[in-house]
Amino acid sequence: MHVLILGGTSEARRLADVLVADPALRVTSSLAGRVAQPRLPAGEVRIGGFGGPAGLAAWLRAHRVDALIDATHPFAETMSRNAAAAVADTGTPLLALRRPSWAPQDGDRWHPVPSLAAAADALPALGRRVFLTTGRQGIASFAHLDGLWFLARSVEPPVPPMPSAVEVLLERGPFTLDGERELLRAHRIEVLVTKDSGSAATAPKLTAARELGLPVVVVQRPAAPQGVRTAPDVAGAVNWVRTLAN
């Protein structure tokens, strides 16, 4: 049984580790190729795009894929749509592995917004020194805010346009609570901007912001494609694969 994992997340790597150990399965992980030195999962790996839904459908047929798991980032909206369209064409079973969203706790000062553009609109009223954790591709949405200072953290260097006053911090999670506390204090951060990734590896910044009473602009996730079955964790995805295999 050939399983294709659309990966790039920690859950995708853990899932590949589990499935590769099953001799009845052939596991291929596909990475988008946007990170220069990605953490490679176990099993076969392909890097690069498919060429849209038609290209993915052709790959599923050519490589005789029996099950497709979309374990991409919750904000990889285009890839998730392409996966849903491809399986509608091929009939390949599809599961979306989606970690749960973050939930606000007592003391949080969250400001949910539907997009990066809305996050940029909200910032001037919330603070002047901004900790931006939306990834390198999201920084451009804030380039026009000349009156604010940004600390922008990403795995890879961002590309222009960027805000005129920005310090780029190249780091990869997981991050510690003590480290996030010190970062916010040292840079005198007044407001945090984040996407609702739901990742435990990056959640400590939310706790640190709560402790300091900082407002947090939270970009909400795009809606998942309709009709796609989901699992909240690796265990659920493994059970799905084993059910298909049986």
Side-chain angles (χ1 to χ4, degrees):
M1 180 177 176
H2 189 188
V3 180
L4 174 62
I5 301 172
L6 304 178
T9 60
S10 58
E11 288 87 357
R13 290 189 296 273
R14 293 200 302 271
L15 177 62
D17 287 341
V18 175
L19 297 183
V20 165
D22 187 338
L25 302 177
R26 174 189 172 192
V27 181
T28 303
S29 294
S30 177
L31 306 180
R34 292 176 179 170
V35 177
Q37 295 181 325
R39 295 173 177 171
L40 297 180
E44 302 175 34
V45 179
R46 69 171 302 279
I47 297 178
F50 291 95
L56 176 55
W59 202 95
L60 295 175
R61 291 191 180 98
H63 295 267
R64 298 182 179 181
V65 173
D66 299 294
L68 176 62
I69 300 177
D70 174 14
T72 57
H73 192 277
F75 283 82
E77 185 177 9
T78 299
M79 190 67 250
S80 294
R81 285 201 311 265
N82 289 351
V87 301
D89 183 21
T90 64
T92 308
L94 169 64
L95 177 78
L97 174 53
R98 289 289 179 267
R99 65 178 82 116
S101 291
W102 286 320
Q105 300 183 24
D106 290 342
D108 281 327
R109 297 174 57 197
W110 285 14
H111 298 263
V113 294
S115 65
L116 289 172
D121 290 342
L123 277 182
L126 296 174
R128 312 300 293 180
R129 297 182 65 83
V130 184
F131 184 25
L132 193 61
T133 63
T134 56
R136 64 170 181 153
Q137 293 180 310
I139 295 177
S141 298
F142 303 86
H144 62 288
L145 296 176
D146 293 332
L148 307 183
W149 181 90
F150 291 87
L151 175 66
R153 183 166 67 190
S154 62
V155 176
E156 298 280 324
V159 295
M162 292 192 293
S164 57
V166 59
E167 178 179 335
V168 176
L169 183 62
L170 299 181
E171 287 187 337
R172 187 198 300 263
F175 302 104
T176 66
L177 178 54
D178 285 343
E180 299 291 65
R181 286 170 176 151
E182 178 57 29
L183 189 70
L184 296 178
R185 291 193 181 102
H187 290 87
R188 296 179 287 114
I189 297 300
E190 298 174 358
V191 56
L192 166 67
V193 182
T194 184
K195 292 179 177 179
D196 176 21
S197 71
S199 173
T202 57
K205 64 189 173 187
L206 301 175
T207 303
R210 183 188 314 124
E211 292 176 349
L212 294 173
L214 301 182
V216 180
V217 180
V218 181
V219 181
Q220 298 171 313
R221 296 181 180 184
Q226 291 186 348
V228 176
R229 183 169 181 172
T230 63
D233 53 29
V234 171
V238 171
N239 289 338
W240 180 78
V241 170
R242 288 176 176 164
T243 299
L244 287 179
N246 290 332

